[in-house]
Amino acid sequence: MLDHVSWPGICYSLLMSLSISVSGEEVFEATIIYAGHVLAIPGQEILERQGIVVRDNIITQLSAGYLHATDIELPTVSVRIIDLGNAFLLPGLIDSHVHLASAPGENNFSKPLSRTEADLTMLASAHARITLQAGFTTIVDLGAAGIPGHENAIFGVRDAGKKGIACGPEHTC
């Protein structure tokens, strides 16, 4: 068992299943996730058939086999069960070199210069969502020298993700 393992995030499928809408859906005090394979600590053995307890976006318990609501270490009123079958879960991936506000294959320097800050923000937000869906929960945007509004666009996407109004590791879409 791991006490209070705080992964930066988990694969997109897990993040999608943990997202809670503020539009009236029931809010659970804990979530129990069943997974066929878990890489809990990179470089160590892959764990099979695991029960994972998540409370307040923190993994508080990882146990072999399937858990029941009565197995949770803290008293809980409402528990959600997510059975991911034979899914493989791992800590969130990290990409330390991205350019979210650039389009792939774009080599025409005049096009990025003609985009508004709003255009850059929307492009960066779309790329952030795609990156998150690929399992990356931590990224470093290296910027775009000479493109007006780029930094504001990137910081806007980051802040919107933290507030839960756009895709982000803690608030998926």
Side-chain angles (χ1 to χ4, degrees):
M1 178 187 336
L2 300 175
D3 291 329
H4 303 290
V5 174
S6 180
W7 292 346
I10 305 176
C11 274
Y12 175 73
S13 62
L14 176 60
L15 288 170
M16 288 301 292
S17 61
L18 289 177
S19 65
I20 297 174
S21 170
V22 293
S23 64
E25 283 186 31
E26 184 178 356
V27 176
F28 296 93
E29 292 183 280
T31 300
I32 298 176
I33 303 161
Y34 303 135
H37 313 280
V38 175
L39 176 62
I41 301 172
Q44 291 192 5
E45 176 182 340
I46 294 171
L47 305 172
E48 305 291 327
R49 292 192 41 166
Q50 295 293 300
I52 303 160
V53 178
V54 179
R55 296 176 61 95
D56 297 323
N57 290 325
I58 296 174
I59 295 173
T60 59
Q61 190 174 344
L62 178 65
S63 300
Y66 292 136
L67 299 169
H68 300 285
T70 56
D71 296 328
I72 297 177
E73 294 174 347
L74 300 171
T76 305
V77 174
S78 59
V79 176
R80 173 176 35 184
I81 306 290
I82 299 173
D83 188 347
L84 297 179
N86 208 26
F88 192 104
L89 302 182
L90 67 153
L93 302 172
I94 298 171
D95 189 340
S96 61
H97 186 147
V98 300
H99 299 277
L100 290 180
S102 300
E106 198 172 72
N107 58 6
N108 180 351
F109 291 106
S110 64
K111 189 171 185 178
L113 292 174
S114 66
R115 288 194 178 124
T116 67
E117 193 171 304
D119 293 335
L120 293 171
T121 304
M122 294 304 294
L123 182 61
S125 181
H127 288 162
R129 182 178 40 79
I130 292 166
T131 303
L132 180 62
Q133 290 173 343
F136 291 87
T137 58
T138 303
I139 59 169
V140 178
D141 189 290
L142 297 181
I147 297 182
H150 178 271
E151 291 80 13
N152 290 337
I154 298 305
F155 292 139
V157 169
R158 177 200 63 192
D159 295 345
K162 285 183 177 181
K163 292 175 184 174
I165 56 177
C167 296
E170 295 176 5
H171 304 281
T172 58
C173 302

